[in-house]
Amino acid sequence: MLLAVSYLESRWDANGGEPSVAAGYGPMHLVDIAAARADTARHPAAARADTAGRHAEDDRGGRRRSPVPRTGGAGTVPTRTVPTRAMQAGTRSTGTVVAGTVAMAARLTGIAPERLRRDPDANVLGGAALLARHQAELGAPASGDPADWYGAVARYSGAPDAGTARRFAGEVFEVIRAGAARTTDDGRQVSLPAAPEIAPHMERAGRPERGAAECPRTLACAWVPAPYQRLSAAPGDYGNHDVSDRPRSQRISYIVVHDTEASYATTLKLVRDPAYVSWHYTIRSADGQVVQHVRTGDAAWHAGNWYVNTKSIGIEHEGFLARGGRWYTEAMYRSSARLVRYLARRYGIPLDRAHILGHDNVPGTLPETVRTMHTDPGPYWDWGHYFELLGRPFEATAGAGGGLVTIRTDYPRHRPRYTGCGGAGTDCPPHGSASVWLRTEPREDAPLVRDAGRSAGPSTFDVYDHGARATTGQQFAVAGRRGEWTAIWYLGRRAWFHNPPDRPTAVHARGYVVTPRAGRPQVPVYGRAYPEPAAYPKGIPVQKIVPLQYAIGAGQRYAVGLATRGEYYYAASFDPAGHRVIRGDTVYYQIQFGHRVAFVMADDVDVLPSAFRTPG
């Protein structure tokens, strides 16, 4: 039981005694709000946020739209400056603060609070004492049968609603039945053997109430709506999303994974501001509670790319990119995966990395917006584990001649260098990562490849700089092999990553690739798939088709993710009666161009099987 509970709370990581975004410590996530505030005050740089795009970019991502409103009925929009990790620590829902469970565990065990926070063994003892206390409060015996502890586990979650508490307990018993094994952040091998015969006794937990949220029955989701209202008399001065009728009006093609770069309480406060931006769902770190804000049929302002906004669902996950993945908890991963599976089935969204995007995979709309695009959830989001939970693990689909590779790191053991977690230039603590570094030559001392759109200077090892990174699940065309190194086509050039046979960081794959048509020295790439000018009816402003600052050279190849015809959702006023969907005849292919996806016009390229080789 302790193994299963701590797996949900922390994936068995001790996190070096650092607190979570909810002021929790250690494998059992014991809460101490005051200590978390003090820890953050001693290390203020550790709370660095995703400022590369978080404050600079209009999350609606459309030039034809006015900037995000800054004044109106709600007054000035709160700047999305991220509070230190514990300024809102301990908040588990709006207006609710979990009691300090470190203090309670100290009273129950006689162990000093400092030791409960820093010593993993003491932390587990403290969690065990809390579970025993919950069991006694329910009037239940300290049974040796895990099935008798369902109610105590539900209470241990700290969730303020019965539905979330039951879901947490249900996930704990799913772990017990299926088993788990993992290398922890301090290098230990921990495993829980599967016990499929254990069925929990559920009568001691409260009954959940079904709400208005769009969620699978296996999740208890709350409904905290984002406001849709005028801010002034101006037709375009409204917030904080657009009413639509998807999928009847437009196909929903993407789900975008974000992290909040703020606490749960701050995040819910921001989404309720009509003069701010919006997203569809928020997921809490500590227990995986899901809250919906915008109907999936409506277009939220979340991706920084208007084309992607109108064709996507955005999910925010409580956490910070630079915190080493510490608070992307198992409870959060599992809730998110359940939600994404439900949404993918409902809207026919393929479960692959061409359709399930990180915010850091969304392309810039124009050359000037590329450098300000967001970088979350970052290299510590465990895409491999996430897709295992989605039921679509990344596996080899071809031999060495398949022509493509799918990046797949061994997340716990793959610990590349990153800097900037605790201040510019400082090394981040070693931690598992889903990303590989890309270099100009097949050797460790070669420079990182450069993303000219992101920075005028060279790429760096900074945790927010993804200009030279490829991430688990992304597919690239093979551009060469030399010893333990593999080259891929990336941002218009060859990029090399270390891929040794005994510790591979990619698997072979096959599919389709695009390459410039014969006679074309290079072809442009785009950040959105807009229709040709002739497709726009009178009265609808034509959106210019502007290429990004990149190009694909002759002979280069890029993996195809999907094909689509040009489309634009015109929504420039509060009244949805004036909204229009414009569809064109221009066909685009979405490709994995760099760390982000991009689009090319079908007339500019040939589509080939990835294993195709030019004769001679």
Side-chain angles (χ1 to χ4, degrees):
M1 180 58 65
L2 292 172
L3 282 166
V5 170
S6 58
Y7 186 75
L8 259 290
E9 291 283 14
S10 66
R11 301 181 79 194
W12 298 328
D13 287 341
N15 297 309
E18 291 288 320
S20 77
V21 294
Y25 288 85
M28 298 297 291
H29 198 263
L30 302 181
V31 175
D32 191 327
I33 297 171
R37 288 199 180 105
D39 283 340
T40 301
R42 284 193 293 270
H43 306 287
R48 178 187 175 196
D50 176 15
T51 54
R54 184 64 68 167
H55 309 301
E57 172 68 4
D58 176 359
D59 280 17
R60 285 182 291 190
R63 174 177 261 181
R64 294 296 303 183
R65 305 186 59 78
S66 61
V68 172
R70 291 288 165 180
T71 60
T76 303
V77 177
T79 304
R80 198 167 181 171
T81 302
V82 176
T84 55
R85 278 174 294 133
M87 289 300 292
Q88 300 292 337
T91 55
R92 299 286 281 269
S93 67
T94 306
T96 301
V97 179
V98 172
T101 54
V102 164
M104 186 182 296
R107 289 195 298 271
L108 293 171
T109 63
I111 299 173
E114 173 71 13
R115 188 179 167 205
L116 288 166
R117 293 192 298 268
R118 312 297 181 192
D119 181 347
D121 294 335
N123 186 271
V124 172
L125 287 172
L130 289 174
L131 277 168
R133 171 71 173 268
H134 295 322
Q135 186 79 338
E137 289 171 344
L138 289 167
S143 170
D145 182 357
D148 292 332
W149 290 78
Y150 181 90
V153 172
R155 286 194 173 195
Y156 189 92
S157 71
D161 63 286
T164 301
R166 288 174 66 91
R167 187 211 53 78
F168 179 89
E171 292 288 6
V172 167
F173 280 88
E174 281 294 315
V175 172
I176 289 173
R177 286 193 290 267
R182 189 171 183 270
T183 302
T184 65
D185 59 353
D186 57 2
R188 300 186 188 189
Q189 300 288 328
V190 182
S191 63
L192 172 63
E197 72 283 358
I198 293 179
H201 303 154
M202 303 168 65
E203 63 277 2
R204 292 187 181 276
R207 294 291 178 184
E209 296 181 4
R210 294 295 295 171
E214 300 168 277
C215 272
R217 291 190 174 275
T218 52
L219 287 177
C221 299
W223 173 245
V224 178
Y228 183 69
Q229 65 185 62
R230 293 183 184 275
L231 301 177
S232 73
D237 190 15
Y238 66 94
N240 60 12
H241 58 281
D242 279 292
V243 172
S244 186
D245 189 26
R246 307 183 307 176
R248 186 178 306 171
S249 59
Q250 285 184 285
R251 179 184 176 88
I252 300 175
S253 300
Y254 306 103
I255 295 172
V256 180
V257 172
H258 305 252
D259 77 35
T260 61
E261 297 295 306
S263 73
Y264 183 76
T266 297
T267 301
L268 265 59
K269 179 180 178 181
L270 289 170
V271 81
R272 291 198 298 269
D273 188 328
Y276 198 59
V277 295
S278 59
W279 46 95
H280 292 88
Y281 297 89
T282 300
I283 302 182
R284 189 162 56 196
S285 172
D287 55 14
Q289 185 191 41
V290 178
V291 179
Q292 185 176 4
H293 313 292
V294 177
R295 293 294 179 195
T296 56
D298 296 335
W301 302 343
H302 65 97
N305 182 314
W306 180 243
Y307 175 80
V308 175
N309 279 349
T310 63
K311 299 180 72 63
S312 69
I313 295 169
I315 305 175
E316 290 275 4
H317 299 77
E318 184 188 20
F320 293 90
L321 181 160
R323 297 308 302 156
R326 291 173 178 173
W327 308 115
Y328 300 152
T329 64
E330 184 66 10
M332 175 184 285
Y333 278 126
R334 287 180 174 240
S335 287
S336 183
R338 287 183 186 274
L339 178 62
V340 169
R341 287 201 308 268
Y342 163 81
L343 295 170
R345 285 194 301 268
R346 184 176 180 183
Y347 295 114
I349 303 171
L351 290 172
D352 59 39
R353 291 286 275 116
H355 297 82
I356 312 299
L357 303 175
H359 200 180
D360 51 356
N361 306 138
V362 175
T365 55
L366 299 164
E368 57 266 34
T369 67
V370 168
R371 67 179 181 84
T372 60
M373 292 300 288
H374 297 215
T375 57
D376 60 295
Y380 298 124
W381 182 264
D382 191 347
W383 285 106
H385 180 58
Y386 192 53
F387 269 76
E388 288 173 351
L389 293 172
L390 290 173
R392 294 290 190 277
F394 301 120
E395 297 175 340
T397 59
L404 298 177
V405 289
T406 303
I407 304 300
R408 190 186 72 181
T409 69
D410 182 350
Y411 181 94
R413 296 178 178 84
H414 180 69
R415 300 186 174 199
R417 180 194 179 202
Y418 295 106
T419 63
C421 292
T426 61
D427 279 358
C428 299
H431 196 281
S433 172
S435 295
V436 295
W437 288 115
L438 301 173
R439 300 181 182 271
T440 57
E441 298 290 340
R443 62 178 196 275
E444 289 288 355
D445 61 346
L448 299 174
V449 298
R450 177 171 165 261
D451 184 345
R454 181 164 173 79
S455 172
S459 295
T460 69
F461 291 101
D462 191 276
V463 71
Y464 295 94
D465 186 350
H466 57 65
R469 291 205 300 253
T471 297
T472 291
Q474 294 178 332
Q475 284 193 337
F476 298 91
V478 175
R481 292 187 176 91
R482 192 179 303 170
E484 294 185 342
W485 292 77
T486 299
I488 56 176
W489 292 113
Y490 185 94
L491 295 177
R493 62 160 300 150
R494 281 187 174 87
W496 296 85
F497 67 96
H498 195 215
N499 187 25
D502 59 333
R503 288 177 291 109
T505 51
V507 294
H508 301 300
R510 64 162 49 92
Y512 289 91
V513 296
V514 298
T515 191
R517 288 199 168 176
R520 302 286 301 272
Q522 63 180 31
V523 299
V525 299
Y526 303 89
R528 50 199 181 181
Y530 275 175
E532 65 280 3
Y536 290 80
K538 185 178 180 179
I540 304 296
V542 173
Q543 303 299 299
K544 291 183 178 180
I545 302 175
V546 182
L548 301 178
Q549 57 268 66
Y550 309 103
I552 297 175
Q556 296 181 14
R557 297 160 185 255
Y558 293 85
V560 176
L562 60 88
T564 185
R565 292 189 180 274
E567 190 171 282
Y568 170 64
Y569 182 44
Y570 176 70
S573 63
F574 178 75
D575 185 359
H579 298 181
R580 295 284 299 276
V581 177
I582 295 89
R583 294 184 175 87
D585 294 324
T586 303
V587 175
Y588 294 84
Y589 295 112
Q590 179 183 303
I591 60 172
Q592 188 66 57
F593 183 60
H595 189 77
R596 301 185 187 273
V597 300
F599 299 93
V600 293
M601 290 185 181
D603 288 346
D604 289 340
V605 297
D606 289 322
V607 179
L608 306 169
S610 60
F612 175 83
R613 292 290 181 269
T614 304

